[in-house]
Amino acid sequence: MKTKYTNISQFLPEVAEKYPDRVAIFRSIGRNPDGSYKYASITFAELEKLVNAYATALRKHGITKGTRTLMLLRPSFEFIAAVFAVFKTGRSEEHTSELQSHSFISY
């Protein structure tokens, strides 16, 4: 089956236009006094706006298509938006964790 998309970031603008107020991502941000989980969410329109801002910033910093990009971010809405922005600008990216050693990241 052929598709018009080459990566997931190309699908986001269409979804954001069609379902701007629907929740795109939610995550736990702790617990309520009764022990139930508290959640934060971001809509497709908010995610698309954040992705576009990050993609613009990446381009302004001269990172070109094909540049390998290392991201050292905690799991968050911003992390997901950064991944989408990297894909949107045509670059590859590598994920890592703040728990990785300096020698691993330097490699």
Side-chain angles (χ1 to χ4, degrees):
M1 180 166 98
K2 287 194 173 192
T3 178
K4 63 183 178 179
Y5 307 110
T6 57
N7 70 53
I8 195 167
S9 70
Q10 295 172 327
F11 185 64
L12 182 58
E14 186 178 310
V15 174
E17 185 176 324
K18 192 171 183 178
Y19 307 109
D21 298 324
R22 287 199 186 168
V23 173
I25 307 164
F26 70 95
R27 66 181 183 94
S28 173
I29 57 169
R31 291 188 180 255
N32 292 310
D34 67 359
S36 63
Y37 286 100
K38 275 195 257 188
Y39 294 96
S41 64
I42 186 170
T43 66
F44 282 108
E46 292 167 331
L47 180 59
E48 172 68 358
K49 184 176 179 179
L50 197 54
V51 168
N52 287 336
Y54 289 170
T56 298
L58 288 169
R59 287 185 194 109
K60 283 183 180 178
H61 281 86
I63 300 172
T64 60
K65 184 177 180 176
T67 302
R68 293 185 70 186
T69 308
L70 177 70
M71 293 187 290
L72 182 58
L73 300 167
R74 295 178 186 265
S76 62
F77 299 139
E78 292 77 12
F79 174 78
I80 294 169
V83 170
F84 272 75
V86 167
F87 290 156
K88 188 171 195 157
T89 55
R91 291 184 278 290
S92 63
E93 52 82 31
E94 303 292 331
H95 306 289
T96 192
S97 163
E98 66 271 10
L99 303 176
Q100 294 290 341
S101 67
H102 181 288
S103 60
F104 177 84
I105 294 171
S106 298
Y107 174 75

